[in-house]
Each structure stands twice: as C-alpha cells, then as structure tokens.
Amino acid sequence: MQSTKLLMKVTSILSGSFGRSLSSNTAAIVKVHRSIYARRYPTMMVLPNGATINLSYHEPRRIIKLPLDLSLLSEAERKARIEKRKPKQKIRIDDDVEDTFNANKYLKYMKKK
C-alpha cells in the first residue's frame, strides 16, 4: 500500500519535472521545485513567550516564529503591544534664535579689488 503511494508520488514528481527545461542553475536562482523533500531539516521554533524548541521540519527553514495571541494578554500588555505596532511620530523642535549679527560692522575689513 505504501509502496504504491510512494510510486505514485515519484511518478507525479518525475512527470512534472520533465515538462520544464532544467539546467544546472535552476536551484541556485529560484526555490527548489519539490513537493516532497527527501529528508528533514533542523529548525528552531520560537514560541510567543520567547522559548525556543529545536525540531526537525520537512522543509528547509531555519526559524519558525509562532504568532502571539493578543486575547490571552492582560489589558495593559495588550495596549503596550498595540502601541509598539503604531508608527512613531517624529518630534520637530523649532528653535527661535535671535540674530543680532550686523554685516555693516565688518565692511571696513573687506579689501577692495
């Protein structure tokens, strides 16, 4: 039973790959066009609380980060998280500098050409 399923998957993979023009650069430029990977890859899963779990995953990925459920947080933590998501506003500082510079005082030091 399993051998027939495996044979069907292998034939579907092979029949799909003969339709494309393959070269030695295909895997280097784009993703690997496989529906089933031959091995399992070491991957780190990051939980919402920051804890990490090392596991083997069927696709080549380095890190999987699980989303945070906002409904489980307290009201203060939820507001703090939502505030972090909002774009920060730029602070504009307008300095009014009094300028008492008088250029006429320094005309006597200018050389005439």
Side-chain angles (χ1 to χ4, degrees):
M1 179 93 172
Q2 286 182 339
S3 61
T4 57
K5 286 183 182 178
L6 182 63
L7 184 60
M8 288 174 52
K9 288 181 182 179
V10 168
T11 56
S12 67
I13 291 170
L14 290 177
S15 65
S17 65
F18 286 129
R20 297 184 6 220
S21 61
L22 298 174
S23 68
S24 62
N25 296 327
T26 302
I29 297 172
V30 296
K31 70 173 188 160
V32 179
H33 297 284
R34 294 183 193 150
S35 58
I36 300 171
Y37 288 90
R39 57 180 286 239
R40 298 180 70 80
Y41 299 89
T43 305
M44 181 185 299
M45 184 169 65
V46 181
L47 300 177
N49 64 359
T52 59
I53 300 171
N54 292 324
L55 52 96
S56 60
Y57 196 65
H58 66 279
E59 290 181 4
R61 294 188 180 187
R62 299 288 270 174
I63 296 177
I64 299 172
K65 186 174 179 183
L66 297 179
L68 178 68
D69 189 11
L70 291 177
S71 63
L72 300 177
L73 298 177
S74 68
E75 192 64 33
E77 290 174 339
R78 184 181 304 126
K79 284 183 181 179
R81 290 278 182 163
I82 292 173
E83 284 297 320
K84 284 183 182 179
R85 292 181 182 180
K86 291 181 181 177
K88 295 180 181 177
Q89 293 184 1
K90 294 182 181 178
I91 300 172
R92 271 184 51 192
I93 300 172
D94 294 332
D95 289 335
D96 294 332
V97 179
E98 290 187 26
D99 190 15
T100 58
F101 178 74
N102 187 1
N104 292 331
K105 282 184 174 180
Y106 300 98
L107 283 177
K108 61 184 176 184
Y109 300 114
M110 300 286 290
K111 293 182 180 178
K112 295 183 181 179
K113 291 186 181 182

